[in-house]
């Protein structure tokens, strides 16, 4: 039996079969043997990676696309903001690579905490001003009392 087919059968035993929907293979009409061709293997690998992501509690490829779009980032900008290399998000979104747990947490945190996301964008050089609407501190000299000079920050 084909090794890849054995792996798929073992994986389907470990996971809910619904998560394996779309897994492809071919059956010979003459002898009934099951085979998986190179293109099917590539597509099946992507399906398996997303299934493993779900099991590990990570964002799926489509969830990464949705998160990136919600944040208004291109794949290249997402790589600058979160790291991982210039092609990282393309690979995450095509399920060619599974993101690390740390990367997954950082992406989720950026969506959950807008100030963190703005800070990450600034660090990546994607913001032209310092957080836009944040007011700078202004120092005002107060009248001296008892020989002590005080500063008021406001």
């Amino acid at each position: 039996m084909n090794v890849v087919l054995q792996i798929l059968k073992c994986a389907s035993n470990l996971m809910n079969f619904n998560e394996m929907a779309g897994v492809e293979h071919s059956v010979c009409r003459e002898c009934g043997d099951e085979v998986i061709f190179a293109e099917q293997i590539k597509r099946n690998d992507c399906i398996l990676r997303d299934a493993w992501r779900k099991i590990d509690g990570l964002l799926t490829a489509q969830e990464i696309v949705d998160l990136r779009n919600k944040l208004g980032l291109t794949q290249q900008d997402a790589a600058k903001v979160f790291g991982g290399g210039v092609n990282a998000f393309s690979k995450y979104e095509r399920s060619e690579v599974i993101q690390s747990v740390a990367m997954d947490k950082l992406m989720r945190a950026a969506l959950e905490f807008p100030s963190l996301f703005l800070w990450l964008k600034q660090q990546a050089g994607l913001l032209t001003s310092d957080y836009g609407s944040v007011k700078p501190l202004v120092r005002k000299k107060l009248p001296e009392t008892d020989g002590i000079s005080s500063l008021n920050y406001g």
Side-chain angles (χ1 to χ4, degrees):
M1 182 183 289
N2 185 322
V3 172
V4 174
L5 185 59
Q6 286 178 323
I7 291 170
L8 287 174
K9 285 185 177 182
C10 289
S12 67
N13 289 336
L14 293 173
M15 293 181 261
N16 182 336
F17 186 74
N18 292 335
E19 304 220 50
M20 298 297 293
V23 171
E24 300 177 18
H25 70 280
S26 299
V27 179
C28 177
R29 291 183 190 152
E30 293 179 20
C31 67
D33 278 353
E34 295 175 328
V35 295
I36 301 177
F37 296 104
E39 285 303 311
Q40 290 173 318
I41 290 171
K42 287 179 187 178
R43 288 189 294 270
N44 290 343
D45 284 348
C46 292
I47 292 167
L48 283 172
R49 281 189 203 96
D50 258 359
W52 288 119
R53 282 173 163 156
K54 286 181 183 179
I55 288 170
D56 290 340
L58 300 174
L59 295 165
T60 64
Q62 187 57 52
E63 290 169 334
I64 292 172
V65 171
D66 294 343
L67 180 140
R68 181 179 57 76
N69 287 333
K70 219 178 237 188
L71 294 173
L73 297 172
T74 64
Q75 289 178 338
Q76 294 78 18
D77 287 347
K80 289 176 187 174
V81 169
F82 299 114
V86 288
N87 296 320
F89 278 79
S90 174
K91 291 180 179 184
Y92 297 154
E93 293 175 11
R94 287 180 291 156
S95 283
E96 286 184 17
V97 174
I98 297 175
Q99 71 277 18
S100 68
V101 171
M103 174 65 78
D104 196 86
K105 287 179 181 180
L106 184 60
M107 289 187 289
R108 290 173 191 260
L111 189 61
E112 184 75 22
F113 304 103
S115 60
L116 170 64
F117 176 58
L118 288 174
W119 183 83
L120 290 168
K121 280 181 75 172
Q122 183 188 40
Q123 297 303 305
L126 297 177
L127 282 183
T128 55
S129 66
D130 294 322
Y131 303 111
S133 64
V134 176
K135 293 169 96 179
L137 293 176
V138 177
R139 294 179 182 211
K140 297 178 185 176
K141 187 166 183 166
L142 297 177
E144 288 187 28
T145 56
D146 299 317
I148 300 174
S149 179
S150 301
L151 294 177
N152 179 23
Y153 295 97

